[in-house]
Amino acid sequence: MSRRNGDQHRGIHSLYAEDSADADRRLWGREVDPVTRRGFLKRSSLLAMSAVLGASIPFARFMPGGLIPAALAQSEEPFAIDGKDGLVVLNDRPINAETPAHLLDDDVTPARHMFVRNNGLPPERDSIDTSQWTLEITGESCVTPTTFTIDELKERFDTHTYQLQVECGGNGRYEFVPATGGNQWTTGAVACPRFTGVRLRDVLEACGIAEDAVYIGYYGADRHASGAAGKVAISRGVPMSKALEDESLIAWAMNDEDIPYQNGYPLRLVCGGWPGSVSGKWLNKIVIRNQKHDGPKMAPPSYSIPATPVAPGSEVPEDEFVTIHSMPVKSLITYPRSGIEHAADQVLEVRGHAWAGDLSVAKLHVSIDFGVTWQEASLKEAPNRLAWQRFTADINFPQPGYYEIWARAVDEKGQSQPMVVPGWNPKGYLNNACHRIAVQVV
Ligand SMILES: Nc1nc2c(c(=O)[nH]1)N[C@H]1C(S)=C(S)[C@@H](COP(=O)(O)O)O[C@H]1N2
Ligand SMILES: [Mo]
């Protein structure tokens, strides 16, 4: 079974109903993602739109022609996964499930709300014996290959705790046109829990890093989705410079408890700020390599983008890709939940998080008039490097009606989230376009 969420949580960019549907047909010779609501809105006037929303639209004059109101473009479809609550399932074999924005409101993402992205089939829950679990450190650039139990890791190395953002490289993929293969993540393949473990660096150094070392790679105990024995679903890694950072952890705990089964119990790698795919789950082996790691899903087009921009739909030769390193600046509005009603005479406190891969976020602005004017939000510092940052903004609405709140973050290097979906790429990675929610002011 594979469930798509239709147009849940559509962002700002894919919503130019009339224009984009026609443009889609012109460009691609087919209807891309036909949505009933879109058909309705195409024919409807502003008056009809207001009638459906149950409110007038005070900033209608700024509303891009054909924009589908966020209030109509979002829906929810809960599904149960053991230990998870309120996630939306995109695929159940392997399990891929994302978190609705309003369930990511906590400063520290609770285990039950952390998304799940499985490339293969996790090891049987009952087969996992924490006391027997081992982590092997080896590879051609490892001087003294060593195998550790989890207890040995705990005894031999200092324990560290960091709050770390993990975002799937394909988060936001659903908005690329033409559509690209893979899970059609909307906004919810991101989380920022607190991980506890030992530094990857300490363990690697204890095993001896040869001078020619350039990369590490991980292996986990999950099986390929085909079930084929010995076939690895995913084995990715990072350059030594990332592996040796303070915050790169071999973790056994998340939010002071065991790591949830679907998130890699009993041991996982966490390299925050990079595509989630480098943070290996059910971790049982790390290789120190004298070349770029070449495990499954390291080679293009996996977790890679064209080195230079390409026209949407282009075929890109393998040697013209680069591997994704740090994720780009992004933000998410986590309160209020999209579609709520709010009293006109009251201030609305909007909340959310912003993050920027390896960098920090410098500023965050919100707009209630479709991006014509922007108000600076208050933005907290991260509790540690590679954690997301909380933003809040008090919003006053000039009169009752339908509003959208848009949020836009800028990183420490001045790089902003784009308003529209960024450059198309063959696998639909790195969509960091602005998030928006709907509010009915009554
Ligand atoms: N062993 C293993 N590690 C893995 C994966 C996997 O399928 N198997 N998926 C990766 C991908 S693509 C992502 S985005 C993150 C997701 O972490 P989560 O499922 O804990 O949210 O785990 C990464 N680590
Ligand atoms: Mo991912």
Side-chain angles (χ1 to χ4, degrees):
M1 177 205 71
S2 173
R3 275 194 218 179
R4 263 230 47 192
N5 297 313
D7 47 349
Q8 185 206 35
H9 297 296
R10 269 188 184 270
I12 291 158
H13 12 299
S14 53
L15 304 164
Y16 301 85
E18 209 154 6
D19 301 345
S20 88
D22 290 349
D24 291 349
R25 255 192 309 278
R26 264 201 315 280
L27 276 170
W28 319 114
R30 64 189 166 94
E31 190 83 47
V32 176
D33 191 14
V35 175
T36 351
R37 292 186 197 94
R38 174 181 280 182
F40 164 73
L41 285 165
K42 218 194 291 193
R43 290 184 303 274
S44 71
S45 63
L46 200 58
L47 212 66
M49 209 186 305
S50 294
V52 170
L53 293 169
S56 69
I57 306 174
F59 289 119
R61 66 189 184 285
F62 298 142
M63 201 169 172
L67 183 94
I68 297 176
L72 303 182
Q74 301 179 354
S75 65
E76 239 108 67
E77 191 187 350
F79 182 91
I81 301 170
D82 224 20
K84 298 291 173 183
D85 182 21
L87 299 199
V88 177
V89 173
L90 306 185
N91 192 344
D92 72 352
R93 193 181 166 89
I95 290 181
N96 285 275
E98 68 173 325
T99 318
H102 70 279
L103 296 184
L104 287 171
D105 191 42
D106 298 83
D107 286 346
V108 178
T109 311
R112 67 186 189 283
H113 290 159
M114 182 173 188
F115 76 102
V116 179
R117 196 291 186 242
N118 291 346
N119 286 265
L121 309 171
E124 293 298 323
R125 178 73 184 75
D126 295 339
S127 75
I128 300 173
D129 177 350
T130 317
S131 67
Q132 298 300 310
W133 192 273
T134 55
L135 172 65
E136 181 189 2
I137 311 290
T138 181
E140 65 271 8
S141 295
C142 177
V143 179
T144 317
T146 314
T147 297
F148 302 92
T149 63
I150 296 177
D151 279 343
E152 284 167 349
L153 289 174
K154 289 180 181 175
E155 281 158 22
R156 283 198 50 185
F157 305 100
D158 288 344
T159 296
H160 297 272
T161 297
Y162 294 103
Q163 196 186 335
L164 299 167
Q165 25 111 354
V166 176
E167 179 179 19
C168 183
N171 196 21
R173 173 178 292 134
Y174 82 116
E175 284 180 314
F176 284 104
V177 177
T180 63
N183 290 295
Q184 297 298 302
W185 303 110
T186 67
T187 60
V190 62
C192 194
R194 255 186 24 252
F195 292 97
T196 298
V198 293
R199 284 193 174 131
L200 175 60
R201 181 181 66 217
D202 291 348
V203 178
L204 297 181
E205 281 174 353
C207 301
I209 305 169
E211 274 196 359
D212 62 355
V214 292
Y215 232 88
I216 63 109
Y218 71 77
Y219 290 89
D222 48 339
R223 289 170 301 134
H224 191 266
S226 65
K231 200 168 170 198
V232 174
I234 183 168
S235 169
R236 303 202 68 240
V238 293
M240 283 322 286
S241 55
K242 181 69 180 170
L244 298 180
E245 282 182 353
D246 284 357
E247 301 83 3
S248 292
L249 292 183
I250 296 169
W252 56 77
M254 192 173 111
N255 301 341
D256 303 317
E257 294 183 337
D258 287 344
I259 292 176
Y261 168 56
Q262 293 291 352
N263 300 114
Y265 174 79
L267 201 65
R268 83 174 292 174
L269 191 61
V270 191
C271 295
W274 284 38
S277 55
V278 301
S279 293
K281 306 195 282 186
W282 311 289
L283 180 71
N284 57 16
K285 183 163 141 181
I286 293 174
V287 284
I288 311 180
R289 304 296 315 267
N290 65 5
Q291 59 169 76
K292 184 174 179 179
H293 185 54
D294 53 0
K297 304 218 172 176
M298 271 307 291
S302 291
Y303 304 103
S304 307
I305 51 168
T308 51
V310 299
S314 302
E315 279 199 28
V316 180
E318 214 176 280
D319 60 359
E320 288 175 20
F321 279 92
V322 290
T323 305
I324 299 168
H325 285 178
S326 173
M327 294 289 286
V329 61
K330 197 159 173 180
S331 60
L332 191 68
I333 302 165
T334 57
Y335 183 87
R337 177 183 185 150
S338 188
I340 60 142
E341 285 194 356
H342 179 78
D345 57 352
Q346 276 168 27
V347 176
L348 175 65
E349 195 206 60
V350 173
R351 293 195 294 265
H353 312 285
W355 60 98
D358 280 341
L359 303 177
S360 63
V361 179
K363 275 195 169 38
L364 189 132
H365 287 88
V366 294
S367 175
I368 59 165
D369 54 12
F370 303 107
V372 172
T373 62
W374 294 86
Q375 165 187 342
E376 186 167 356
S378 108
L379 180 69
K380 278 199 191 161
E381 281 187 17
N384 54 252
R385 195 174 161 257
L386 309 182
W388 63 20
Q389 293 167 244
R390 166 68 79 189
F391 71 82
T392 51
D394 288 338
I395 292 186
N396 289 292
F397 297 96
Q399 67 187 81
Y402 174 82
Y403 293 85
E404 296 194 356
I405 300 173
W406 295 4
R408 189 180 65 189
V410 179
D411 72 22
E412 60 181 285
K413 289 191 174 164
Q415 304 170 108
S416 170
Q417 286 186 262
M419 297 302 306
V420 295
V421 76
W424 184 93
N425 60 88
K427 296 282 275 179
Y429 296 122
L430 307 186
N431 175 9
N432 65 336
C434 295
H435 184 222
R436 62 182 190 137
I437 61 159
V439 177
Q440 301 276 1
V441 176
V442 292

